[in-house]
Structures are given as C-alpha cells and as structure tokens.
Amino acid sequence: MKTLDALFRLEKKVAIVTGGSSGIGRAMAWALGKQGARVVLIARSQAALQSTVDEFAADGIAAHAVSADLGDSAQRLDAIDRAMAPFGAPDILVNCAGNNIRKALPDLTDDDIRATLALNLEAPLALIRAFAPAMQAKGWGRIINIASQQSFRAFNNSGVYGVSKGALVSLTRSTAEHYSRYGVTCNTLAPGFVVTPLSALAIAASPGFAERHANASMIGRNGEPSDFHGAAIFLASDASAFVTGQTLFVDGGYSAK
C-alpha cells in the first residue's frame, strides 16, 4: 500500500497540458511538475511558452514547449507528434486550451462557431483519441478536461461556448465509460469565475463584472489560478484512482447557490 504522500507523487509520469502557458493551464502544469511529472506545454504563443518553460526550470521542473493553434487541424496533428518527442507518450493529459467568443446567439458568425468548436471540443477529442490508447496499453492514465459553469447553465452570452463546454462534459463521461476499466480515468474540472489574462478582457469591458461574480460565490471572492493546484494533483495522481466520469467544481460554491 502506498503512503499518503506517495499517492500524490508523479515521478516518472509525463503530462501534456494544453493552454499551459497562462492562467489555469499554467497553474495546473506547474503543480504537476512540482509533484515530479515532466511537462509538455502546448499553446499558441512561443514567447509565452518559452517564458513559462524558463520559469518552470528555475523551480526544478522539466518542461518542454510546443507552439501550435490546436483549433487548426493540421497544426493539431503536428503538435501531437511534437508533444511526444521530448519525453514519450503522456500518462496525463490536461485539456485546458479554449476560447470564449462572448456574443449573443443570433450574432454568432459561422466562423465564430467553427473556431469555438474546433478548439474547445474537436481538439480535446483528437488529443484523447491520440494519447488514450497508449495509456490503456500501460494500464494507467489520467485525463482532465476543463469545462465551465456554462456547461450547466446559461449566462453572459453562453452562445456556442456553452455548447462546446457542455459537450466537453459529455465527452468526459464517454471517455470514462470506455477507458476506466483499463486504469485510465477521465474527469472534468469546472471553474467558477477565475481571474486570468483571458477573463481580464471581460472585466475591463464591464465595470462591476468581477465584483458581481465574487458576490455570487459562497466564499466571497473570485478564483485564482493557484486554486487549481490541489485539484490538478488529485485528479492526475493515484489518489483519484476510483474517481472517473465526474465533474469537480472548483468555484468557491458559485454553482451551489
């Protein structure tokens, strides 16, 4: 039987984290690395990726960067190959990359819809299909999808974003149904309102926006990326071996009110 500390350790594990150069993805990648995992970060900005890799290295984390737009099918396929080059096939996959086009449903263009579904749904599905078979062969794997409050309720012009994130929760259940018997679990994290570079755009565009969301939580504040350190480690480690197909709300009680 493993010691309690060992349940949460990730030595010899390889983690691929999309959207890993900022916000929640970066925080989760850092936490996995500090627990011993070797980390591959996939994001669009090479500069942000390199900065993150350098900062991780200073913290003793082995990390590698892959620059790609996962919403583009050709770049996605190339990124899958490049992501396995430094450390091999992943044991842990975190699907965090996403976009949120905040338009009312009638105002969405065909391009808005295609771009959102390509990055928020098609990319996680493609990465799961690419990496889960190797996890199955090893008899161990962890897949973590990052959803949204808008997976479960509509607000702030959910539009196609809510559609994509609702489908991601369904993908979690479908993945868990097939792979869990092979030691590969799949779960979802549902953030509340988290202060990140992406959400800063919404804050700037709407005075009082952040305060309203903070007041809607039970804890009385908005989330920070560091609030996801513990959840990432739990769902990526042996500690969660009997947890699969579930959604964990990391939202300060936002969804419970």
Side-chain angles (χ1 to χ4, degrees):
M1 183 183 222
K2 285 193 171 185
T3 65
L4 287 178
D5 286 345
L7 276 178
F8 295 93
R9 295 298 300 172
L10 297 171
E11 278 87 5
K12 299 182 180 179
K13 303 299 185 186
V14 175
I16 291 179
V17 182
T18 73
S21 64
S22 67
I24 294 171
R26 186 187 190 282
M28 293 178 69
W30 181 86
L32 300 181
K34 290 300 288 183
Q35 288 300 100
R38 293 168 291 171
V39 181
V40 177
L41 311 171
I42 305 178
R44 286 179 293 182
S45 170
Q46 182 61 52
L49 283 166
Q50 190 57 55
S51 174
T52 302
V53 167
D54 292 344
E55 291 176 22
F56 280 18
D59 277 340
I61 297 171
H64 182 81
V66 173
S67 176
D69 178 359
L70 292 174
D72 179 277
S73 58
Q75 291 190 48
R76 186 188 307 147
L77 289 173
D78 181 60
I80 287 170
D81 288 338
R82 288 191 288 140
M84 290 190 287
F87 307 125
D91 307 283
I92 301 160
L93 170 64
V94 179
N95 285 309
C96 191
N99 66 15
N100 186 353
I101 298 173
R102 296 180 181 273
K103 292 182 181 178
L105 195 64
D107 297 331
L108 289 166
T109 67
D110 289 347
D111 285 344
D112 292 335
I113 293 168
R114 280 191 290 268
T116 301
L117 293 178
L119 183 57
N120 293 3
L121 180 58
E122 292 174 17
L125 177 56
L127 269 62
I128 289 170
R129 293 182 67 200
F131 298 135
M135 297 178 186
Q136 175 182 334
K138 287 186 285 189
W140 197 98
R142 299 288 183 267
I143 299 168
I144 306 170
N145 296 320
I146 309 302
S148 167
Q149 298 291 320
Q150 290 165 303
S151 301
F152 303 93
R153 58 176 175 162
F155 62 97
N156 293 333
N157 287 327
S158 295
V160 71
Y161 177 80
V163 172
S164 68
K165 291 298 188 176
L168 192 60
V169 173
S170 182
L171 175 60
T172 293
R173 292 192 293 266
S174 297
T175 303
E177 178 188 23
H178 181 79
Y179 284 105
S180 296
R181 72 195 70 186
Y182 306 111
V184 181
T185 66
C186 185
N187 292 287
T188 297
L189 285 178
F193 186 79
V194 182
V195 179
T196 68
L198 182 61
S199 66
L201 300 175
I203 293 171
S206 178
F209 183 87
E211 291 78 8
R212 289 195 299 273
H213 282 284
N215 292 333
S217 76
M218 289 182 175
I219 290 178
R221 68 169 175 87
N222 291 315
E224 299 287 344
S226 60
D227 290 318
F228 292 81
H229 289 164
I233 293 165
F234 170 64
L235 290 179
S237 68
D238 283 330
S240 61
F242 203 56
V243 179
T244 194
Q246 304 302 310
T247 298
L248 174 62
F249 289 84
V250 183
D251 65 358
Y254 192 104
S255 58
K257 289 184 73 174

